[in-house]
Amino acid sequence: MFGVRAALTALLFVCVGFTAHAQYTIRWVSDPAQTAVEVEGIPRDVREALEGSDPHAVVWMQLLAVYAEQPVMPGAPMPPMPPMAGSWKMAKGKLRFEPRFPFTRGVAYRAEFWPSRLPGPLGSPSQLLGVLTGEAPQGPVISFFELPRDKTTPTTTVMQIYPTSDLLPENQLKFYVHFSGSMSRGGIYEYVQLRDGEGKIVDTPFLELDEELWDPTMTRLTLLIDPGRIKRGVKPLEDMGPVFEAGKNYTLSIKATWRDADGRPLKTGFEKAFRIGPADRTPPDPKRWKITYVPPAGSPGPFIVQFDEPMDRALALRLIAVERVPEQRGARPQVLDGEVTVDEQERRWMLMPVGPWRRGSYRLVVATTIEDLAGNNIGKTFDVDLAAGAQRQSQASSASVPFEVK
């Protein structure tokens, strides 16, 4: 692992590649507002050529690529790593790369800038000159960077694990782990453990994905139970059995050694205890839901819906809406803006609109891709007998329930 190449107190880090390309400087920018790598010293005529070049990432990556180094055992070969994903542009006379995800503390990064690949007078002609003189084109300008580890007191905690219900179906599909701050990416399954009621660790219960299912803020992680141990008629279920068994107790544990984005362990571990009930193989149906409160016209809300079973909270927040039915035929419906809440162990949905309710016709609109805790969505069951096959009962993209505001 490369050492820290910047002052601990600085927010803007500058690292210069020591090669024959003395005119070029690689700057590392890492502060709360932005994360980027910049190359300075590119002549104006070359900058103009770059500004008019193909914006495709493959083109820019040939000029400036940034890598996240992976730790390896002593003596082991360094595995080939792809460049970091992100975007490139010319900004204020600098070639700028902005990674898709911010830099993580404790990870070493390497930037490679290739002047010999620049367009214009410093690009292809220099390569031609190398061919004529027998000299190979000069190599890249290389710079290394690492955010210092923060040794301060841990502050990040697990705020909640969803679903919050203490009774879950035997074919429970997923869990959402919410953190109070951004977490580090990679190796998450080392810190998550599922135990049965006797304290025995359940073997490989999760679908372990290389592309971990984080939200953009790195504060919510989705853990998927291995579908092969849920779907009937598939080999993993026959060989290993289901992850959960009805009538038994389980505990999902999060270890305190899990590190946040600043390299600090969690302030404390977290456990969610629950009991398993019968499998749920009934698709959700908004017609079974109850609208328990419709505010009068002129009131600011809230509008309240009670589900007949717990729903997937993340999807319920995103895939349910209220539309005002237009009075004129052919006009587009108006989607109400407001604050949405899902509570009561994911059995209640509430909308607090930004303004007062207007008299008229409305409808609750639900995308058919919404899921209950077992992954069933409207018109289709997730846990099906593959031998029997599955057929969606409805081809519509959404379902709706009308109501009136008086």
Side-chain angles (χ1 to χ4, degrees):
M1 184 69 70
F2 298 103
V4 176
R5 290 170 169 80
L8 297 181
T9 58
L11 291 179
L12 179 64
F13 300 88
V14 180
C15 297
V16 180
F18 294 95
T19 73
H21 304 294
Q23 75 182 70
Y24 301 106
T25 302
I26 296 179
R27 297 169 55 90
W28 299 83
V29 180
S30 180
D31 61 38
Q34 59 182 334
T35 296
V37 180
E38 297 179 341
V39 177
E40 297 180 342
I42 300 175
R44 177 179 297 180
D45 53 352
V46 179
R47 295 200 305 264
E48 293 175 351
L50 285 174
E51 290 172 353
S53 66
D54 186 343
H56 195 278
V58 174
V59 177
W60 292 99
M61 196 179 295
Q62 296 299 314
L63 297 176
L64 175 61
V66 180
Y67 302 84
E69 304 288 0
Q70 299 294 314
V72 296
M73 296 295 293
M78 178 69 73
M81 296 300 298
M84 295 178 65
S87 60
W88 291 258
K89 63 181 179 181
M90 290 298 304
K92 298 181 179 180
K94 306 170 187 175
L95 173 57
R96 182 181 178 91
F97 168 74
E98 297 178 353
R100 180 176 299 174
F101 302 105
F103 298 135
T104 301
R105 294 188 186 276
V107 176
Y109 296 91
R110 182 180 86 256
E112 294 184 359
F113 170 65
W114 292 80
S116 61
R117 298 173 180 172
L118 287 170
L122 296 182
S124 53
S126 67
Q127 298 178 25
L128 177 60
L129 180 61
V131 173
L132 295 176
T133 60
E135 297 179 0
Q138 290 180 318
V141 180
I142 300 178
S143 181
F144 302 103
F145 171 73
E146 182 179 343
L147 279 172
R149 291 186 180 273
D150 192 337
K151 307 265 184 206
T152 58
T153 304
T155 59
T156 305
T157 62
V158 177
M159 299 178 64
Q160 188 58 272
I161 293 180
Y162 292 94
T164 57
S165 175
D166 55 5
L167 179 63
L168 304 178
E170 189 177 43
N171 52 350
Q172 171 72 29
L173 179 60
K174 69 184 77 166
F175 293 91
Y176 297 102
V177 185
H178 288 247
F179 299 88
S180 62
S182 298
M183 296 295 292
S184 58
R185 181 183 296 273
I188 61 172
Y189 302 102
E190 301 176 19
Y191 309 105
V192 182
Q193 195 175 78
L194 184 66
R195 304 191 307 271
D196 63 18
E198 298 178 354
K200 182 181 177 181
I201 297 176
V202 179
D203 185 33
T204 58
F206 303 108
L207 182 62
E208 300 189 4
L209 302 169
D210 292 333
E211 186 68 23
E212 299 166 356
L213 303 178
W214 290 99
D215 75 335
T217 66
M218 296 290 290
T219 60
R220 189 195 73 194
L221 173 69
T222 303
L223 293 172
L224 288 175
I225 300 298
D226 187 349
R229 298 179 66 180
I230 293 178
K231 288 180 174 289
R232 293 165 291 171
V234 298
K235 190 171 179 56
L237 180 62
E238 296 174 355
D239 293 345
M240 302 181 65
V243 172
F244 299 120
E245 294 184 45
K248 293 188 176 182
N249 296 321
Y250 295 85
T251 300
L252 178 60
S253 300
I254 305 298
K255 297 181 181 180
T257 52
W258 200 339
R259 294 189 176 274
D260 64 16
D262 291 325
R264 299 172 296 190
L266 294 175
K267 189 174 182 179
T268 183
F270 190 93
E271 291 190 344
K272 172 184 172 56
F274 53 94
R275 187 170 179 81
I276 293 297
D280 177 10
R281 299 189 179 97
T282 302
D285 186 351
K287 294 180 181 179
R288 297 196 301 265
W289 300 352
K290 293 183 179 179
I291 298 177
T292 58
Y293 183 71
V294 178
S299 168
F303 171 76
I304 304 176
V305 178
Q306 199 77 28
F307 304 137
D308 65 324
E309 62 173 330
M311 298 296 291
D312 182 304
R313 178 178 181 271
L315 296 180
L317 289 171
R318 184 165 57 88
L319 299 181
I320 302 177
V322 172
E323 292 181 349
R324 177 176 169 81
V325 179
E327 297 178 357
Q328 296 181 349
R329 183 183 299 273
R332 299 183 62 180
Q334 175 189 359
V335 179
L336 269 65
D337 292 328
E339 181 180 356
V340 175
T341 304
V342 176
D343 59 10
E344 292 189 355
Q345 295 189 342
E346 295 72 67
R347 289 178 175 270
R348 185 173 73 167
W349 186 92
M350 294 191 299
L351 170 66
M352 186 73 71
V354 295
W357 290 84
R358 297 165 54 191
R359 191 183 310 275
S361 299
Y362 293 79
R363 58 187 170 222
L364 180 72
V365 181
V366 186
T368 54
T369 50
I370 196 169
E371 298 176 3
D372 58 20
L373 301 188
N376 306 312
N377 48 41
I378 297 175
K380 187 173 184 296
T381 304
F382 177 82
D383 179 11
V384 297
D385 188 343
L386 296 183
Q391 184 175 3
R392 181 177 289 278
Q393 299 172 10
S394 173
Q395 299 298 322
S397 62
S398 64
S400 63
V401 178
F403 64 94
E404 296 286 330
V405 174
K406 302 177 182 179

